[in-house]
Amino acid sequence: MVVKLESYGNYSVLKFNTGGKYNLFNIKFMTDMIDVLSNVEEDRISRFLIIEGEGNFGTGADITELKKLMMT
């Protein structure tokens, strides 16, 4: 999984790693993020959410992947 959620009592930490050194936001990341955030929304114990990228936070969208989608 590209996105993982760890709960620590009244807060949770959402970590992501899309591979590579830039943590580009790709389709897999976006779908995983939606799924995990849906779980966070249902959690009534955590009051805070910390979001962090493993290595770095992320440089933005994967343009190569976006171009492929535009071509279909």
Side-chain angles (χ1 to χ4, degrees):
M1 181 180 253
V2 174
V3 180
K4 60 185 174 185
L5 184 67
E6 300 170 354
S7 295
Y8 302 96
N10 69 342
Y11 74 97
S12 295
V13 178
L14 184 151
K15 296 181 180 181
F16 64 90
N17 186 347
T18 62
K21 65 179 181 177
Y22 297 116
N23 262 337
L24 292 173
F25 296 176
N26 55 31
I27 298 296
K28 175 74 172 139
F29 165 78
M30 291 183 235
T31 18
D32 283 358
M33 182 67 99
I34 290 168
D35 292 342
V36 170
L37 289 176
S38 293
N39 292 336
V40 168
E41 185 176 28
E42 295 172 7
D43 180 8
R44 299 294 178 217
I45 297 170
S46 293
R47 297 185 61 203
F48 304 96
L49 176 65
I50 299 168
I51 301 174
E52 65 181 46
E54 294 179 352
N56 64 48
F57 190 77
T59 56
D62 184 345
I63 301 300
T64 306
E65 206 169 89
L66 291 175
K67 283 182 183 178
K68 288 179 188 175
L69 289 173
M70 300 283 288
M71 301 299 279
T72 59

mmCIF file of all heavy atoms in Angstrom, residues 34-61:
data_model
loop_
_atom_site.group_PDB
_atom_site.id
_atom_site.type_symbol
_atom_site.label_atom_id
_atom_site.label_comp_id
_atom_site.label_asym_id
_atom_site.label_seq_id
_atom_site.Cartn_x
_atom_site.Cartn_y
_atom_site.Cartn_z
ATOM 1 N N ILE A 34 -7.722 8.391 -0.835
ATOM 2 C CA ILE A 34 -9.176 8.495 -0.674
ATOM 3 C C ILE A 34 -9.686 7.405 0.261
ATOM 4 O O ILE A 34 -10.498 7.665 1.159
ATOM 5 C CB ILE A 34 -9.886 8.438 -2.040
ATOM 6 C CG1 ILE A 34 -9.606 9.722 -2.821
ATOM 7 C CG2 ILE A 34 -11.387 8.212 -1.882
ATOM 8 C CD1 ILE A 34 -10.013 9.659 -4.280
ATOM 9 N N ASP A 35 -9.211 6.169 0.071
ATOM 10 C CA ASP A 35 -9.638 5.056 0.927
ATOM 11 C C ASP A 35 -9.263 5.288 2.384
ATOM 12 O O ASP A 35 -10.080 5.099 3.288
ATOM 13 C CB ASP A 35 -9.037 3.737 0.441
ATOM 14 C CG ASP A 35 -9.591 3.281 -0.895
ATOM 15 O OD1 ASP A 35 -10.673 3.776 -1.293
ATOM 16 O OD2 ASP A 35 -8.944 2.430 -1.535
ATOM 17 N N VAL A 36 -8.031 5.693 2.612
ATOM 18 C CA VAL A 36 -7.556 5.897 3.987
ATOM 19 C C VAL A 36 -8.282 7.078 4.636
ATOM 20 O O VAL A 36 -8.688 7.005 5.798
ATOM 21 C CB VAL A 36 -6.026 6.091 4.028
ATOM 22 C CG1 VAL A 36 -5.562 6.549 5.395
ATOM 23 C CG2 VAL A 36 -5.323 4.799 3.644
ATOM 24 N N LEU A 37 -8.481 8.158 3.887
ATOM 25 C CA LEU A 37 -9.180 9.311 4.458
ATOM 26 C C LEU A 37 -10.636 8.983 4.779
ATOM 27 O O LEU A 37 -11.208 9.532 5.721
ATOM 28 C CB LEU A 37 -9.079 10.517 3.525
ATOM 29 C CG LEU A 37 -7.691 11.152 3.451
ATOM 30 C CD1 LEU A 37 -7.672 12.277 2.424
ATOM 31 C CD2 LEU A 37 -7.236 11.657 4.809
ATOM 32 N N SER A 38 -11.237 8.069 4.031
ATOM 33 C CA SER A 38 -12.591 7.618 4.357
ATOM 34 C C SER A 38 -12.597 6.916 5.712
ATOM 35 O O SER A 38 -13.514 7.110 6.517
ATOM 36 C CB SER A 38 -13.120 6.660 3.286
ATOM 37 O OG SER A 38 -13.297 7.332 2.080
ATOM 38 N N ASN A 39 -11.569 6.111 5.969
ATOM 39 C CA ASN A 39 -11.446 5.442 7.272
ATOM 40 C C ASN A 39 -11.224 6.454 8.389
ATOM 41 O O ASN A 39 -11.765 6.307 9.488
ATOM 42 C CB ASN A 39 -10.310 4.428 7.267
ATOM 43 C CG ASN A 39 -10.597 3.244 6.367
ATOM 44 O OD1 ASN A 39 -11.750 2.921 6.093
ATOM 45 N ND2 ASN A 39 -9.555 2.602 5.900
ATOM 46 N N VAL A 40 -10.432 7.478 8.122
ATOM 47 C CA VAL A 40 -10.158 8.513 9.123
ATOM 48 C C VAL A 40 -11.456 9.236 9.476
ATOM 49 O O VAL A 40 -11.729 9.530 10.645
ATOM 50 C CB VAL A 40 -9.101 9.516 8.608
ATOM 51 C CG1 VAL A 40 -9.028 10.744 9.497
ATOM 52 C CG2 VAL A 40 -7.747 8.851 8.504
ATOM 53 N N GLU A 41 -12.270 9.500 8.475
ATOM 54 C CA GLU A 41 -13.529 10.207 8.704
ATOM 55 C C GLU A 41 -14.450 9.426 9.647
ATOM 56 O O GLU A 41 -15.168 10.012 10.449
ATOM 57 C CB GLU A 41 -14.227 10.441 7.365
ATOM 58 C CG GLU A 41 -15.475 11.269 7.465
ATOM 59 C CD GLU A 41 -16.091 11.552 6.114
ATOM 60 O OE1 GLU A 41 -15.914 10.743 5.177
ATOM 61 O OE2 GLU A 41 -16.760 12.588 6.000
ATOM 62 N N GLU A 42 -14.402 8.112 9.562
ATOM 63 C CA GLU A 42 -15.250 7.265 10.403
ATOM 64 C C GLU A 42 -14.687 7.062 11.816
ATOM 65 O O GLU A 42 -15.413 6.653 12.719
ATOM 66 C CB GLU A 42 -15.454 5.907 9.738
ATOM 67 C CG GLU A 42 -16.225 5.998 8.443
ATOM 68 C CD GLU A 42 -16.265 4.687 7.676
ATOM 69 O OE1 GLU A 42 -15.805 3.659 8.229
ATOM 70 O OE2 GLU A 42 -16.745 4.690 6.535
ATOM 71 N N ASP A 43 -13.398 7.342 12.009
ATOM 72 C CA ASP A 43 -12.738 7.153 13.305
ATOM 73 C C ASP A 43 -13.214 8.218 14.284
ATOM 74 O O ASP A 43 -13.042 9.404 14.054
ATOM 75 C CB ASP A 43 -11.224 7.233 13.118
ATOM 76 C CG ASP A 43 -10.451 7.045 14.403
ATOM 77 O OD1 ASP A 43 -11.048 6.698 15.431
ATOM 78 O OD2 ASP A 43 -9.224 7.237 14.364
ATOM 79 N N ARG A 44 -13.801 7.792 15.375
ATOM 80 C CA ARG A 44 -14.317 8.737 16.376
ATOM 81 C C ARG A 44 -13.370 8.889 17.570
ATOM 82 O O ARG A 44 -13.657 9.648 18.485
ATOM 83 C CB ARG A 44 -15.697 8.287 16.859
ATOM 84 C CG ARG A 44 -16.730 8.218 15.773
ATOM 85 C CD ARG A 44 -17.030 9.588 15.233
ATOM 86 N NE ARG A 44 -17.995 9.508 14.150
ATOM 87 C CZ ARG A 44 -17.966 10.248 13.088
ATOM 88 N NH1 ARG A 44 -17.016 11.132 12.918
ATOM 89 N NH2 ARG A 44 -18.880 10.134 12.150
ATOM 90 N N ILE A 45 -12.235 8.196 17.554
ATOM 91 C CA ILE A 45 -11.287 8.263 18.660
ATOM 92 C C ILE A 45 -10.205 9.312 18.391
ATOM 93 O O ILE A 45 -9.909 10.152 19.233
ATOM 94 C CB ILE A 45 -10.647 6.883 18.935
ATOM 95 C CG1 ILE A 45 -11.743 5.897 19.353
ATOM 96 C CG2 ILE A 45 -9.562 6.975 19.998
ATOM 97 C CD1 ILE A 45 -11.288 4.465 19.422
ATOM 98 N N SER A 46 -9.615 9.281 17.192
ATOM 99 C CA SER A 46 -8.543 10.231 16.852
ATOM 100 C C SER A 46 -9.106 11.634 16.695
ATOM 101 O O SER A 46 -10.116 11.842 16.028
ATOM 102 C CB SER A 46 -7.848 9.817 15.553
ATOM 103 O OG SER A 46 -7.150 8.620 15.726
ATOM 104 N N ARG A 47 -8.415 12.580 17.297
ATOM 105 C CA ARG A 47 -8.826 13.979 17.179
ATOM 106 C C ARG A 47 -7.913 14.762 16.257
ATOM 107 O O ARG A 47 -8.253 15.849 15.818
ATOM 108 C CB ARG A 47 -8.829 14.618 18.560
ATOM 109 C CG ARG A 47 -9.852 13.944 19.490
ATOM 110 C CD ARG A 47 -9.948 14.628 20.802
ATOM 111 N NE ARG A 47 -10.373 16.002 20.590
ATOM 112 C CZ ARG A 47 -10.134 16.976 21.451
ATOM 113 N NH1 ARG A 47 -9.497 16.732 22.561
ATOM 114 N NH2 ARG A 47 -10.552 18.198 21.210
ATOM 115 N N PHE A 48 -6.714 14.221 15.971
ATOM 116 C CA PHE A 48 -5.727 14.902 15.141
ATOM 117 C C PHE A 48 -5.196 13.939 14.094
ATOM 118 O O PHE A 48 -5.089 12.742 14.341
ATOM 119 C CB PHE A 48 -4.544 15.403 15.987
ATOM 120 C CG PHE A 48 -4.951 16.292 17.112
ATOM 121 C CD1 PHE A 48 -5.141 15.785 18.387
ATOM 122 C CD2 PHE A 48 -5.161 17.641 16.893
ATOM 123 C CE1 PHE A 48 -5.524 16.599 19.431
ATOM 124 C CE2 PHE A 48 -5.552 18.469 17.933
ATOM 125 C CZ PHE A 48 -5.736 17.941 19.209
ATOM 126 N N LEU A 49 -4.850 14.482 12.951
ATOM 127 C CA LEU A 49 -4.250 13.685 11.876
ATOM 128 C C LEU A 49 -2.973 14.373 11.433
ATOM 129 O O LEU A 49 -2.978 15.556 11.073
ATOM 130 C CB LEU A 49 -5.205 13.560 10.688
ATOM 131 C CG LEU A 49 -4.663 12.838 9.461
ATOM 132 C CD1 LEU A 49 -4.382 11.369 9.794
ATOM 133 C CD2 LEU A 49 -5.644 12.945 8.305
ATOM 134 N N ILE A 50 -1.881 13.627 11.477
ATOM 135 C CA ILE A 50 -0.589 14.120 10.991
ATOM 136 C C ILE A 50 -0.327 13.430 9.666
ATOM 137 O O ILE A 50 -0.442 12.203 9.561
ATOM 138 C CB ILE A 50 0.531 13.793 12.001
ATOM 139 C CG1 ILE A 50 0.245 14.472 13.336
ATOM 140 C CG2 ILE A 50 1.898 14.188 11.441
ATOM 141 C CD1 ILE A 50 1.116 13.989 14.473
ATOM 142 N N ILE A 51 0.011 14.199 8.644
ATOM 143 C CA ILE A 51 0.296 13.642 7.321
ATOM 144 C C ILE A 51 1.766 13.866 7.018
ATOM 145 O O ILE A 51 2.258 14.986 7.110
ATOM 146 C CB ILE A 51 -0.572 14.316 6.238
ATOM 147 C CG1 ILE A 51 -2.050 14.116 6.559
ATOM 148 C CG2 ILE A 51 -0.233 13.768 4.859
ATOM 149 C CD1 ILE A 51 -2.989 14.857 5.647
ATOM 150 N N GLU A 52 2.455 12.766 6.653
ATOM 151 C CA GLU A 52 3.881 12.902 6.330
ATOM 152 C C GLU A 52 4.258 11.972 5.189
ATOM 153 O O GLU A 52 3.733 10.874 5.052
ATOM 154 C CB GLU A 52 4.753 12.637 7.550
ATOM 155 C CG GLU A 52 4.695 11.234 8.100
ATOM 156 C CD GLU A 52 5.570 11.035 9.321
ATOM 157 O OE1 GLU A 52 5.550 11.881 10.233
ATOM 158 O OE2 GLU A 52 6.280 10.014 9.351
ATOM 159 N N GLY A 53 5.151 12.455 4.368
ATOM 160 C CA GLY A 53 5.716 11.638 3.310
ATOM 161 C C GLY A 53 6.994 10.996 3.811
ATOM 162 O O GLY A 53 7.754 11.626 4.548
ATOM 163 N N GLU A 54 7.213 9.750 3.456
ATOM 164 C CA GLU A 54 8.450 9.078 3.850
ATOM 165 C C GLU A 54 9.549 9.520 2.887
ATOM 166 O O GLU A 54 9.458 9.328 1.695
ATOM 167 C CB GLU A 54 8.253 7.565 3.837
ATOM 168 C CG GLU A 54 7.264 7.104 4.891
ATOM 169 C CD GLU A 54 7.029 5.606 4.889
ATOM 170 O OE1 GLU A 54 7.503 4.912 3.979
ATOM 171 O OE2 GLU A 54 6.352 5.136 5.810
ATOM 172 N N GLY A 55 10.567 10.142 3.402
ATOM 173 C CA GLY A 55 11.649 10.681 2.572
ATOM 174 C C GLY A 55 11.458 12.161 2.324
ATOM 175 O O GLY A 55 12.293 12.970 2.640
ATOM 176 N N ASN A 56 10.334 12.525 1.756
ATOM 177 C CA ASN A 56 9.934 13.927 1.602
ATOM 178 C C ASN A 56 8.423 13.981 1.458
ATOM 179 O O ASN A 56 7.772 12.956 1.290
ATOM 180 C CB ASN A 56 10.647 14.612 0.435
ATOM 181 C CG ASN A 56 10.292 14.018 -0.910
ATOM 182 O OD1 ASN A 56 9.123 13.820 -1.215
ATOM 183 N ND2 ASN A 56 11.280 13.713 -1.718
ATOM 184 N N PHE A 57 7.853 15.153 1.529
ATOM 185 C CA PHE A 57 6.396 15.235 1.529
ATOM 186 C C PHE A 57 5.797 14.912 0.169
ATOM 187 O O PHE A 57 4.765 14.279 0.078
ATOM 188 C CB PHE A 57 5.912 16.607 1.996
ATOM 189 C CG PHE A 57 4.430 16.624 2.233
ATOM 190 C CD1 PHE A 57 3.900 16.058 3.375
ATOM 191 C CD2 PHE A 57 3.568 17.167 1.303
ATOM 192 C CE1 PHE A 57 2.526 16.033 3.604
ATOM 193 C CE2 PHE A 57 2.196 17.150 1.520
ATOM 194 C CZ PHE A 57 1.681 16.586 2.665
ATOM 195 N N GLY A 58 6.418 15.309 -0.885
ATOM 196 C CA GLY A 58 5.900 15.047 -2.223
ATOM 197 C C GLY A 58 6.121 16.258 -3.116
ATOM 198 O O GLY A 58 6.069 17.386 -2.662
ATOM 199 N N THR A 59 6.348 15.991 -4.383
ATOM 200 C CA THR A 59 6.649 17.086 -5.295
ATOM 201 C C THR A 59 5.483 17.454 -6.187
ATOM 202 O O THR A 59 5.564 18.410 -6.934
ATOM 203 C CB THR A 59 7.843 16.724 -6.190
ATOM 204 O OG1 THR A 59 7.552 15.510 -6.865
ATOM 205 C CG2 THR A 59 9.102 16.578 -5.384
ATOM 206 N N GLY A 60 4.396 16.711 -6.118
ATOM 207 C CA GLY A 60 3.225 17.034 -6.933
ATOM 208 C C GLY A 60 2.831 15.863 -7.805
ATOM 209 O O GLY A 60 3.248 14.726 -7.595
ATOM 210 N N ALA A 61 2.015 16.161 -8.797
ATOM 211 C CA ALA A 61 1.454 15.124 -9.670
ATOM 212 C C ALA A 61 2.509 14.526 -10.599
ATOM 213 O O ALA A 61 3.439 15.203 -11.024
ATOM 214 C CB ALA A 61 0.330 15.713 -10.506
#
